[in-house]
Amino acid sequence: MLFLQKILCVMGLTCLFVFVTPVYANDKGLPWDKRVVQGTLDNGFRYYLFDSKQEKDAPKGLTLANLVVLSGAIDEEENQLGVAHMVEHMVFHESKGLPNGVRKAFTDMGFKQGRDFNAMTNSENTRYMVNLKNTTPDRLNNVLDIYQQIAFHAEIKASSLDKERLIIQEEWRGKLSHRSRVNDEKKTLLRVGSLYPERPVLGTQATIQHTPATQLQSFYQHWYAPNNMALVVFGPMDTAVLEAQIKRVFGSERKRELPKRHPKDPVLDGNLKIGQLNDSGNKVNRVVFLYRFESEAGSTDEARRDGLIDYMARNLLTQQVYRQREVLPEHVRVLSSTKGTVSPNVAILGFSVNVDDGYHALGLETLIQEIERIETQGFFQQDFDQIYQKVVDVAKRNKNAAKSRGTIWSVKMVEAVTSDKSLHDPKQSNDQILRLVKTISLEDVNARLKQWLSSPDRILYTQAVGGKYVDIGTVESVEALFDEMQSRQLGALEKEKIVAVKALPVVTKSGSVVLTSRNAELGVSNWSLSNGDKLTVLDPSVLAERYQIDQSEIDNKTYFTAISDAGYSVKQGSTWAEQIAVQMSDATGVYGWTDEEFQQWRKENSVFLTSKQKAQSLAYRGSIDSDNLDKLLNVYHVNQVTPKIDIDVYDSIMASLKRSASIDVVRPIEVFSRRLAQARFGKSDTTLSLSHLAPLSLDKIEKTRQQQVALPVHYFMVSRLPEVDVTRLAALYLANIPRDQLASTDNTKAVVQQAGEAIVDVSLNTEPKAEYRLYAYQSLPWSPVAALQLTYLGERLEAELKQRLRSEVQGVYSVRVGLDLNKDTKRAELSIQYSSSPARLDDLAEMTKNVLSDLPDIVTEEWAKEIQDAFADVEQNRLEKAFDSTLLHRLELSETLYGDARYLDEMDQLKSGLTVAKLKALVDTLTFTNRVTGFYRPID
């Protein structure tokens, strides 16, 4: 608690308010959904079972089995920091019934750690997860038997712990970063008065290194008791048979008396606490004011009504706070509010503003002013009526929610168990909401807001760029500010803007489209537009018959893509101008409309068109109900024929970019990343600066945008609409967009890593942590089969590195490998990243180099068979769940790279590329001699 003593100032206690809520008819709460079979064994072991055969969309043969231990880091004693997490690691080692270890028992079943089985620990509980494919009763019984060993029979040997410490230490080390430091500081502030700040889940470096096995054994014996556990299973099952198995496996362990639990909730008081997040890597100036108060959830009428009032008050507050941004003074911006929880029964309500350097005091004054204004005046009746109707509408829709939950059942059951709640029948739950919401008035919601804002337990903290000290005042001066604001006559709250109902301009002059080729077997047709653009149309029903896809329940959507050469990596001009022009165009929406008008139109018409700019291309993508395709094409048409930027959008985005560019804080990891980028790409100005922004006037940006939309475009549409309707709409909205057929389509260049080998070795890290990064490539023609092969080879390489670097020498916690075939550069691109102890970095790097040298050895017959089966499952699921969008993606690739639709004709041949012979043939060509290796070490 020394940290808190340094940063917190407190004031005297004040009285806590007591609120009395009327009692309603249902004081017992709603029961569990009857589709979940639940029970408790004589020893207190609980189970919750859902037979997935009740769900028509549930993955066939998949079982998700979760063993939950209802204890975590908060249950540790002072001399046990990190022990709950260490126990989670150690139960995968030897047990009484599995002397070779639980991990080996899982892998002997064909499981892979991370993919098929895993575990996690947090402050409140520990969870073990298994994803069992191709479920049979025997395989599920095997999982239960292994879970029994985890639950009751782990041996936790000192010799095994000494090896595992190294991995746990690397897990701890891997989380060391600016972000984690700031998050830890925030948690310490928000949870002051509780044990959470003093019980870090991973422990400390010292406790990881030195805590004896006896402490882990003690925690295990105390908390791994049947009456402190639950089994949650989602999958195809005979629930009666499974219940009998659960009783057999888990019923013989004796119930135990659990130790007295530490309180989880902070002790609330009448104190105002003032602190600062002072990490030197901070890049924001911010003021935050928070209220903490008791908040309990439940399913009785009284509790659900309280929850509804909370929901309505939170939504109305968020909305009103957003409106108040219109009246913020200069140097203060981004007023926002948030509500969440800091413990099971304590909630938090926060307000924040960002400020310019040196204006924290003004930010605090503004926060207090807006808090007082909202508390005094309350919410508007019109806004209440709207949120009331939203509650009603959502509840009516959600009555049928559980009919299509799929594997979400598992998630929701686990959430209910770990939070000691019930998973209700959605019809009963939403009927309860519809009944209770009728009893809620605007006065109830305003009273709840006042209750929150009257909480005497408050926290004020600041952040400053570079961690610079901020004198925000004393407790007395802050209280005086509140008193002053209460005495002022504050102006009225901002009301909802009246947003005009807009309609897109009517396009009257149509262009023309001409058929250039057709492939009837694939349902593909190619068209030439009168402005020179190209259109490729795919009727997915043709291929659906070939792949036996059930079309009866496929949504009647049309998928649309427009691709041009308007990439950002221009040979002449500013790469920043290219990117900013697209960003500002997207933010402008429809020129001449306000943002509110455009967002309202998009929402009412369900039109969402997104852009993605790459080095050598710019793509617009969207999907929409086919009956409304004209609206999607029309909004794209307007975007292209009116390439102007709203002046307010320009000013806002440029101001934001200039603020970011003017921050002179450079984190050590950013220096490392920039040097890596320079070694890879030969550029030194990869970071946006004020000098880059200076020449980018509104006129310059608009001219850049005009050049972008003048480039020819290739359109792709996957639609079940009649061809005549698709081509008619294309002629009306696409064929008449002005294009410059003489415009250069060779004005961009690929962003590619330089040839050769380079090493970047820097010692700048302020943490006791080293990082390894490798970026390598080699030329490789793009093909669907080669792209698929590299995807699986990347997974295989990652698994091999984990085996060598983690399992064999305990040098890392995790390894990230990326291996992709870049269609734009025609290169196989490899990346490897991990963190480690500084003392072991060079040895691990040498091991990594050796693994890459032995790359052909990782291709085995067993692995090839495994990935063939895995791909078959993935491909089947992809085609069943996302047939049309999958076809669009592959059609784009095929037409762009081959100039025809051959990929669609060869999809069923993808699996044939995963044979041992073909994989070895590819791997034998992979040398990756063009590479940049990075070493990031602590400061000497």
Side-chain angles (χ1 to χ4, degrees):
M1 299 293 286
L2 291 177
F3 170 74
L4 295 178
Q5 293 172 8
K6 291 179 181 178
I7 67 171
L8 299 180
C9 307
V10 297
M11 62 172 286
L13 287 172
T14 58
C15 295
L16 295 174
F17 288 87
V18 178
F19 295 90
V20 180
T21 307
V23 177
Y24 296 88
N26 177 8
D27 60 356
K28 294 182 179 180
L30 294 179
W32 272 79
D33 190 306
K34 292 181 179 179
R35 284 167 289 185
V36 178
V37 175
Q38 56 171 314
T40 304
L41 303 184
D42 291 342
N43 60 5
F45 186 90
R46 291 182 286 155
Y47 58 86
Y48 302 83
L49 314 176
F50 185 90
D51 181 5
S52 62
K53 296 193 297 293
Q54 299 174 90
E55 287 270 303
K56 65 178 181 179
D57 294 330
K60 295 179 182 177
L62 176 66
T63 292
L64 305 177
N66 289 262
L67 176 66
V68 180
V69 182
L70 298 170
S71 288
I74 199 71
D75 296 306
E76 297 165 351
E77 300 302 328
E78 284 187 51
N79 60 348
Q80 293 181 323
L81 301 187
V83 160
H85 175 250
M86 286 191 270
V87 168
E88 173 226 302
H89 275 250
M90 290 306 299
V91 297
F92 286 98
H93 289 266
E94 306 90 347
S95 70
K96 291 181 181 178
L98 296 169
N100 293 323
V102 163
R103 181 178 288 104
K104 187 171 190 309
F106 277 137
T107 57
D108 286 347
M109 290 184 67
F111 291 171
K112 287 191 175 181
Q113 186 164 2
R115 184 191 70 184
D116 303 313
F117 71 97
N118 216 332
M120 58 79 63
T121 303
N122 61 27
S123 293
E124 289 82 22
N125 58 75
T126 307
R127 183 155 61 98
Y128 301 90
M129 302 88 77
V130 166
N131 297 342
L132 175 63
K133 298 177 182 177
N134 303 317
T135 301
T136 64
D138 286 345
R139 282 172 61 79
L140 182 53
N141 289 342
N142 287 344
V143 170
L144 297 186
D145 288 337
I146 295 173
Y147 270 169
Q148 181 208 53
Q149 295 295 307
I150 288 176
F152 307 133
H153 303 301
E155 294 187 342
I156 311 184
K157 294 181 177 180
S159 58
S160 295
L161 175 59
D162 287 341
K163 290 183 178 180
E164 195 68 25
R165 289 185 202 276
L166 299 173
I167 293 175
I168 298 170
Q169 185 166 287
E170 294 313 318
E171 182 178 2
W172 167 84
R173 196 188 310 276
K175 296 184 183 299
L176 298 177
S177 67
H178 161 76
R179 178 177 295 179
S180 67
R181 291 195 302 271
V182 171
N183 285 339
D184 287 345
E185 285 189 80
K186 284 182 183 178
K187 290 175 184 177
T188 300
L189 278 169
L190 303 187
R191 291 176 162 180
V192 60
S194 75
L195 277 180
Y196 284 103
E198 301 174 23
R199 297 291 187 272
V201 173
L202 296 184
T204 67
Q205 187 173 26
T207 61
I208 293 170
Q209 291 174 339
H210 303 301
T211 300
T214 52
Q215 287 292 352
L216 278 68
Q217 294 161 359
S218 174
F219 187 92
Y220 183 74
Q221 289 301 320
H222 283 142
W223 297 107
Y224 278 59
N227 45 309
N228 195 40
M229 292 180 174
L231 179 69
V232 180
V233 183
F234 167 93
M237 67 183 75
D238 181 324
T239 52
V241 172
L242 186 55
E243 281 187 285
Q245 285 296 101
I246 291 170
K247 185 175 182 179
R248 173 190 68 81
V249 174
F250 299 101
S252 60
E253 186 75 12
R254 294 181 62 182
K255 183 176 183 178
R256 299 202 290 274
E257 182 178 353
L258 300 175
K260 182 180 179 181
R261 292 187 186 272
H262 300 305
K264 296 180 180 180
D265 298 314
V267 177
L268 301 183
D269 54 34
N271 296 345
L272 169 63
K273 295 159 276 285
I274 301 177
Q276 179 174 349
L277 307 184
N278 52 17
D279 192 272
S280 61
N282 281 335
K283 294 192 177 186
V284 64
N285 292 305
R286 180 173 292 149
V287 183
V288 182
F289 198 92
L290 307 127
Y291 297 84
R292 299 194 304 178
F293 42 85
E294 293 181 357
S295 177
E296 296 185 21
S299 60
T300 64
D301 276 4
E302 180 180 350
R304 291 299 297 278
R305 183 176 184 272
D306 272 348
L308 280 173
I309 295 173
D310 283 354
Y311 171 83
M312 297 169 85
R314 174 170 55 84
N315 277 267
L316 290 172
L317 179 61
T318 300
Q319 176 178 272
Q320 190 60 56
V321 164
Y322 185 83
R323 290 177 190 164
Q324 296 307 115
R325 292 185 178 187
E326 296 291 329
V327 295
L328 296 179
E330 188 180 1
H331 305 297
V332 178
R333 59 190 174 277
V334 199
L335 173 66
S336 63
S337 68
T338 184
K339 183 176 181 291
T341 59
V342 294
S343 67
N345 301 301
V346 172
I348 197 161
L349 177 67
F351 300 85
S352 68
V353 287
N354 289 1
V355 298
D356 289 332
D357 193 29
Y359 287 89
H360 286 83
L362 178 61
L364 174 60
E365 182 180 342
T366 302
L367 270 183
I368 294 174
Q369 174 179 285
E370 297 308 322
I371 291 170
E372 287 295 330
R373 194 199 312 261
I374 294 172
E375 179 183 8
T376 302
Q377 300 179 28
F379 303 121
F380 296 110
Q381 182 68 49
Q382 179 182 348
D383 294 334
F384 172 81
D385 293 341
Q386 290 176 357
I387 193 64
Y388 178 96
Q389 192 58 49
K390 178 182 177 181
V391 170
V392 171
D393 293 342
V394 170
K396 288 179 178 178
R397 287 199 306 269
N398 285 349
K399 277 191 179 186
N400 296 319
K403 290 183 178 179
S404 57
R405 275 183 176 157
T407 55
I408 299 299
W409 271 103
S410 177
V411 176
K412 288 187 171 293
M413 287 193 293
V414 170
E415 286 178 350
V417 170
T418 55
S419 58
D420 196 25
K421 297 176 183 176
S422 300
L423 180 58
H424 312 310
D425 176 279
K427 184 178 186 306
Q428 292 181 5
S429 178
N430 287 286
D431 280 341
Q432 183 187 38
I433 289 173
L434 291 170
R435 172 169 52 82
L436 293 174
V437 74
K438 296 176 182 177
T439 71
I440 298 174
S441 65
L442 175 60
E443 288 71 24
D444 294 318
V445 177
N446 279 328
R448 181 58 48 83
L449 175 66
K450 286 183 176 293
Q451 177 183 341
W452 291 344
L453 298 180
S454 297
S455 173
D457 190 300
R458 294 156 297 158
I459 300 169
L460 164 64
Y461 74 83
T462 58
Q463 282 180 270
V465 171
K468 185 172 61 176
Y469 172 73
V470 174
D471 183 2
I472 198 63
T474 63
V475 168
E476 291 75 19
S477 66
V478 174
E479 294 292 1
L481 264 178
F482 273 98
D483 292 340
E484 180 186 345
M485 289 300 171
Q486 290 170 0
S487 66
R488 285 188 189 178
Q489 286 291 105
L490 299 175
L493 288 170
E494 296 295 295
K495 291 188 176 182
E496 180 183 20
K497 290 182 179 179
I498 298 176
V499 181
V501 177
K502 307 292 284 189
L504 291 175
V506 176
V507 180
T508 57
K509 185 178 179 181
S510 179
S512 61
V513 299
V514 176
L515 180 67
T516 57
S517 66
R518 184 186 300 279
N519 186 330
E521 292 183 358
L522 299 178
V524 175
S525 57
N526 289 287
W527 306 78
S528 176
L529 280 59
S530 53
N531 64 349
D533 287 348
K534 295 188 293 183
L535 169 66
T536 300
V537 180
L538 171 65
D539 177 0
S541 62
V542 176
L543 285 170
E545 292 182 9
R546 178 192 291 191
Y547 290 98
Q548 300 180 335
I549 302 298
D550 182 7
Q551 302 186 70
S552 61
E553 295 188 10
I554 292 180
D555 292 334
N556 184 31
K557 284 185 175 293
T558 291
Y559 293 82
F560 168 81
T561 299
I563 301 178
S564 75
D565 292 331
Y568 62 78
S569 181
V570 289
K571 296 177 182 177
Q572 295 181 338
S574 166
T575 59
W576 300 110
E578 298 291 337
Q579 296 173 76
I580 293 169
V582 174
Q583 181 185 2
M584 290 185 176
S585 174
D586 290 348
T588 295
V590 175
Y591 186 77
W593 293 10
T594 66
D595 182 61
E596 291 80 8
E597 290 167 345
F598 181 52
Q599 298 306 328
Q600 176 178 272
W601 181 88
R602 291 178 69 189
K603 183 177 179 180
E604 290 177 352
N605 292 278
S606 299
V607 176
F608 299 97
L609 188 69
T610 61
S611 68
K612 183 174 184 179
Q613 189 179 33
K614 300 170 73 174
Q616 294 185 279
S617 66
L618 173 61
Y620 288 88
R621 292 186 172 88
S623 64
I624 196 167
D625 288 340
S626 294
D627 293 341
N628 294 321
L629 178 58
D630 59 325
K631 295 182 174 64
L632 178 65
L633 298 185
N634 196 359
V635 78
Y636 172 80
H637 174 93
V638 171
N639 174 275
Q640 298 289 290
V641 301
T642 315
K644 294 184 70 61
I645 305 300
D646 182 270
I647 182 62
D648 291 335
V649 166
Y650 173 83
D651 289 341
S652 175
I653 290 178
M654 287 300 290
S656 178
L657 292 173
K658 288 178 180 178
R659 279 194 300 271
S660 297
S662 64
I663 294 174
D664 59 1
V665 173
V666 181
R667 298 167 188 156
I669 190 66
E670 294 172 344
V671 175
F672 176 55
S673 297
R674 292 175 188 178
R675 292 186 186 176
L676 274 173
Q678 186 170 359
R680 294 178 65 196
F681 307 115
K683 297 180 178 180
S684 58
D685 61 343
T686 56
T687 303
L688 182 65
S689 66
L690 292 174
S691 62
H692 291 130
L693 294 171
L696 302 185
S697 63
L698 176 59
D699 181 63
K700 169 66 174 176
I701 296 297
E702 286 191 335
K703 285 181 178 178
T704 300
R705 183 60 186 157
Q706 289 163 11
Q707 293 168 355
Q708 290 174 344
V709 301
L711 293 171
V713 173
H714 191 163
Y715 301 103
F716 298 90
M717 276 195 260
V718 174
S719 180
R720 286 176 166 76
L721 282 173
E723 184 180 275
V724 63
D725 291 340
V726 174
T727 54
R728 175 181 57 81
L729 292 172
L732 181 60
Y733 294 110
L734 305 179
N736 55 4
I737 297 173
R739 304 293 188 201
D740 182 359
Q741 296 303 316
L742 299 178
S744 172
T745 58
D746 187 34
N747 189 39
T748 60
K749 55 186 176 182
V751 177
V752 293
Q753 184 168 313
Q754 301 177 113
E757 188 169 358
I759 295 176
V760 175
D761 197 330
V762 299
S763 299
L764 293 172
N765 199 356
T766 57
E767 303 280 8
K769 168 184 175 180
E771 290 195 27
Y772 171 91
R773 295 187 189 178
L774 178 137
Y775 300 95
Y777 79 88
Q778 72 179 65
S779 297
L780 188 68
W782 191 93
S783 73
V785 169
L788 179 65
Q789 290 172 327
L790 285 180
T791 296
Y792 281 107
L793 282 169
E795 293 179 3
R796 179 66 165 169
L797 176 58
E798 182 172 288
E800 184 68 15
L801 285 170
K802 284 181 178 178
Q803 173 65 26
R804 300 277 191 93
L805 306 185
R806 172 174 168 158
S807 300
E808 294 181 10
V809 300
Q810 296 82 46
V812 303
Y813 175 70
S814 65
V815 180
R816 284 187 289 172
V817 173
L819 181 55
D820 302 293
L821 184 51
N822 189 319
K823 68 179 180 62
D824 298 320
T825 63
K826 308 296 191 298
R827 288 178 168 187
E829 297 176 345
L830 170 68
S831 65
I832 300 175
Q833 181 175 349
Y834 54 79
S835 63
S836 76
S837 163
R840 305 187 68 184
L841 181 63
D842 293 319
D843 289 342
L844 295 171
E846 188 63 27
M847 291 183 67
T848 303
K849 189 176 181 179
N850 293 336
V851 170
L852 290 176
S853 298
D854 298 335
L855 204 56
D857 296 341
I858 70 175
V859 178
T860 64
E861 190 74 47
E862 180 183 6
W863 172 66
K865 178 63 168 63
E866 177 186 317
I867 63 173
Q868 288 171 28
D869 294 342
F871 173 72
D873 290 342
V874 168
E875 181 74 349
Q876 180 180 352
N877 185 66
R878 181 187 291 124
L879 296 181
E880 288 178 353
K881 303 296 185 183
F883 186 68
D884 290 10
S885 58
T886 298
L887 292 184
L888 176 68
H889 174 65
R890 293 176 177 178
L891 177 63
E892 290 176 25
L893 287 172
S894 192
E895 287 285 347
T896 302
L897 295 165
Y898 299 138
D900 56 43
R902 72 182 71 172
Y903 188 177
L904 301 183
D905 199 29
E906 299 171 355
M907 291 195 307
D908 52 2
Q909 299 176 26
L910 288 171
K911 183 179 176 181
S912 66
L914 300 178
T915 63
V916 169
K918 291 182 179 179
L919 288 165
K920 278 187 175 293
L922 174 63
V923 172
D924 286 342
T925 69
L926 300 178
T927 58
F928 293 112
T929 54
N930 299 294
R931 62 178 68 177
V932 173
T933 308
F935 299 93
Y936 181 54
R937 310 175 194 269
I939 295 175
D940 294 332

